[in-house]
Amino acid sequence: KMVDPTLAEMGKNLNEAMKMLEDNQRKEEENEKRYTRKDIPGPLQGSGQDMVSILQLVQNLMHGEEEEESSQSYRLQNVGEQGHMALLGHSLAAYISVLDRERLRKLTTRILSDTTLWLCRLFRYENGSAYYHEDDREGLLKICRLVIHTRYEDYTVEGFNVLYTKQPVIYISSAARMGLGQALCNQLGLPLSCMCRVPCNTMFGSQHQMDVALLDRLIKDDAESGKMPLLLVANAGKYWTPGAGHTDKLGRLKELCEQYNMWLHVEGVNLATLALGYVSSSVLAATKCDSMTLTLGSWLGLPAVPAVTLYRHEDPSLSLAAGLTSSQPVEKLRALPLWLSLQYLGHDGIVERIKHASQLSQRLLENLKNLDFIKTSVEDELSSPVVVFRFFQEYANRDQTPHAAPTSAIQHPIISNERHVCDTFNQWLGEQLAQLVPASGVDVVELEDEGTCVRFSPLMTSAVLGTEIQDVDQLVDCLKMKIPVLTSTLQLREEFEQEVRRTVGLVYIEDLSWPGLGVVRYSYHSDGKNDDKQEKELEKINAELLKKLNDLESDLSFSLGPEFGGEKNCVYIGMVTEDLDVSELVETIAATGREIEENSRLLENMTEVVRKGIQEAQLQLQKANEERLLEEGLLRQIPVVSSVLNWFSPFQASPKGRTFNLTAGSLESTESTYVSKAQGTGTTPPPTPTSSLAKQRLPGQKIFKRSLRSSDAFSETSSISHCDDLEKMEQRPPVLSPGHDQGRLEPGMKEQQQTATLVTATERDTVPSDKSPSTCTQAEEQGSQR
């Protein structure tokens, strides 16, 4: 077939440009990023540049300053040929716009009619018209203008005067996307009083569906007060809203709108399931609404394609006045990228993509139902392509089993602190899953009633990220690995708090937004210092404490906490496992802090101690010289006379010196040094503070780990007690010397004899090997007497 050379050249250039951008991106990832003078904006070059140089500049701007280059690269590589068709549509739209007016009109009419017909048949919306727009809220805005023109006959002439006499009212759900009502009022020039937020069910039914009975009363009250109920915005699987994946009772809402002559508009991701063979009745009711907004770009992974609002209206003049249709052929070319993409995918390709996303959701949902401590948050689970779940664990004081957590969560509201901690843990869980399985596209959402949840919506992400079944299985495996960490950390938080509060020198910091075991601070014992100096000392000690804890061979993570909003001069402990010995951890932190504090005080006082010691030594040496003069006499100080006098009568003077003990901080005499011909050790330095819970570890066993001795070891959170050690020692057979007789031990002397023989055995092991057996026996007898 013959193709227009211009069109062929356009497609070739687009392929070359995309290939060049992707190839340059891979080279950029291999080389280290370097900033040159080309990155600095400069004047426009007079001679111009070629296409390769311009594309290179675009590539640098796209990826040169990206921090997460791998994620951006992944997205570009999955655009695919269908994405290239959508990009080609924008180039063709610019090319077609230069045609003559009559040819342009015929072409745009064909493109617009074909795309509208395909979409209406694909999504079961009979006799509908379409409006193509870039902003997904723009379609609802145009629909509101259409309804105003329809209900207010003189609006075109009178304007806001007719609205003033009878104020319009637009009803939206309280779970609608943030800022939607305010945006509509600003664009329409209406006061915020024209927007009515309808609460969701709070006593009966779903917690995220619009309360139909309350809506009926609100409409009646507004009609009786002289207002005009105008339009109702319903949701079918809200994605950009707090209540993700929930569908309102569209059938009942349609009956209510017909009763009060109101317009019903529906939006949401569940509308994509209208293209499948089986559609739930709750979503199928959307085909009877007055208008709906479809976001095909995210559903099918098509870049830069417009959103579509399908609507039914009989008066084309009012549609033109509202801006839903245009007499300008160029504006009708908005549908061209979507027209090309739909033809490239075909009916089967579109249905297959939506079906694949629904299968991914169902696969994850089936696996989540078999996991403990996981609760799903979508009522209409069989039809919703969105899966929202959260980690949940009942506290022990409620006498609830983990399997009953999903039901009890609604009946027994959580205390605010516990709710905050649970939200923090779910935030951490969502971030971990998104990092470990980036192809899943999971993110974190906030639900009004349930708090922080993790959302999986493959309909919005799988086409771009290329999500497959194995990615869902990997997501489940990662979730299974994280659940034990979450449960153990949540259970050990209270024990950690109690251990810290009863440990001298440590202060427990309550930070409900920290996903981990807890926050601790070593308290510095101030000696009358001012606040600034004390704050610096506290910062120094805790910084050194954090460094020493990170140097230990443990599986725990110690940090300074979050970059913003965290407490200062604290040690933040991350997630832990069930075999953590909390007592040993707390005691080690306290002992390490004391060691750092004592070393800090020693260094701080060293200068002053040395200075005073030098002054004292000078005074004592001066006094010693004076005593030596008195002892020797005046004649011995004369040079010639002293030599003759010393020859006839030698003078013996004992050397007197001083030594400065840094550990004790005192001056000591050197007489013992000259007598013993060796320097003494002086005062014994204080022992280094260590943990009293130090214990013998198995090979390969890391610090802060305790051995699980039984199946219920998960509930044992304390280390081996001192009583267990005594029981083991009592069961150990006594070590006797060769000359002793075990049978002659009296019951009252058993404990005393056992202690003595243990000491004897210790001393016997220290006897040199070259001594005779009799010598060893003597050493044993001496040890027994002691």
Side-chain angles (χ1 to χ4, degrees), residues 702-718:
K702 294 187 177 181
I703 194 173
F704 308 137
K705 296 294 183 181
R706 58 181 174 85
S707 58
L708 302 179
R709 295 173 294 176
S710 60
S711 59
D712 60 345
F714 182 80
S715 61
E716 298 178 1
T717 55
S718 60

Side-chain angles (χ1 to χ4, degrees), residues 387-580:
V387 179
V388 180
F389 62 93
R390 65 193 295 260
F391 167 77
F392 184 87
Q393 183 178 4
E394 275 286 357
Y395 286 78
N397 54 2
R398 292 186 174 83
D399 297 329
Q400 297 287 340
T401 60
H403 301 280
T407 305
S408 61
I410 300 176
Q411 299 175 353
H412 303 280
I414 309 176
I415 303 175
S416 58
N417 288 352
E418 299 174 357
R419 165 74 177 269
H420 199 160
V421 172
C422 191
D423 291 346
T424 301
F425 277 42
N426 280 280
Q427 179 76 26
W428 177 85
L429 177 62
E431 294 174 355
Q432 289 291 313
L433 295 178
Q435 182 179 1
L436 294 174
V437 193
S440 64
V442 296
D443 59 348
V444 180
V445 294
E446 295 288 340
L447 298 184
E448 182 178 358
D449 297 328
E450 300 176 3
T452 305
C453 299
V454 183
R455 175 176 57 187
F456 175 69
S457 181
L459 188 61
M460 303 294 291
T461 59
S462 62
V464 175
L465 299 178
T467 311
E468 299 294 340
I469 294 294
Q470 55 268 24
D471 297 322
V472 177
D473 296 339
Q474 183 182 0
L475 181 66
V476 175
D477 294 338
C478 294
L479 185 59
K480 291 180 180 179
M481 292 189 301
K482 296 300 179 182
I483 289 178
V485 178
L486 291 169
T487 54
S488 59
T489 304
L490 191 60
Q491 291 185 2
L492 293 176
R493 281 175 67 99
E494 184 176 357
E495 181 185 353
F496 176 76
E497 179 181 355
Q498 295 176 357
E499 288 287 343
V500 172
R501 292 189 184 278
R502 62 170 169 253
T503 302
V504 179
L506 297 183
V507 178
Y508 180 80
I509 306 299
E510 186 176 10
D511 191 349
L512 302 179
S513 60
W514 171 248
L517 183 64
V519 186
V520 64
R521 173 187 297 155
Y522 183 80
S523 178
Y524 177 73
H525 302 288
S526 61
D527 298 333
K529 300 180 180 179
N530 54 29
D531 295 340
D532 295 338
K533 188 172 183 180
Q534 183 179 354
E535 185 72 18
K536 293 180 180 179
E537 291 292 341
L538 183 64
E539 180 180 0
K540 182 180 179 181
I541 292 177
N542 283 275
E544 185 67 21
L545 175 61
L546 176 62
K547 181 180 179 182
K548 286 185 175 294
L549 291 176
N550 284 322
D551 292 340
L552 298 176
E553 295 182 359
S554 66
D555 295 332
L556 302 182
S557 62
F558 303 94
S559 64
L560 294 174
E563 184 178 359
F564 303 101
E567 293 285 341
K568 296 182 179 179
N569 305 327
C570 296
V571 177
Y572 285 75
I573 306 174
M575 293 290 176
V576 298
T577 54
E578 60 179 355
D579 57 350
L580 173 69

Side-chain angles (χ1 to χ4, degrees), residues 43-84:
L44 182 64
Q45 298 185 10
S47 58
Q49 302 183 55
D50 56 0
M51 185 182 68
V52 176
S53 301
I54 297 175
L55 290 177
Q56 180 66 39
L57 177 60
V58 173
Q59 191 271 339
N60 293 336
L61 295 176
M62 290 171 59
H63 308 288
E65 298 179 358
E66 288 289 340
E67 296 180 356
E68 300 177 356
E69 296 181 0
S70 59
S71 176
Q72 192 73 7
S73 170
Y74 193 78
R75 288 178 176 271
L76 280 180
Q77 292 176 4
N78 286 274
V79 169
E81 294 185 2
Q82 76 280 356
H84 291 181

Side-chain angles (χ1 to χ4, degrees), residues 280-294:
S280 64
S281 58
S282 59
V283 180
L284 188 62
T287 59
K288 304 299 181 181
C289 65
D290 299 298
S291 61
M292 65 170 63
T293 298
L294 311 174

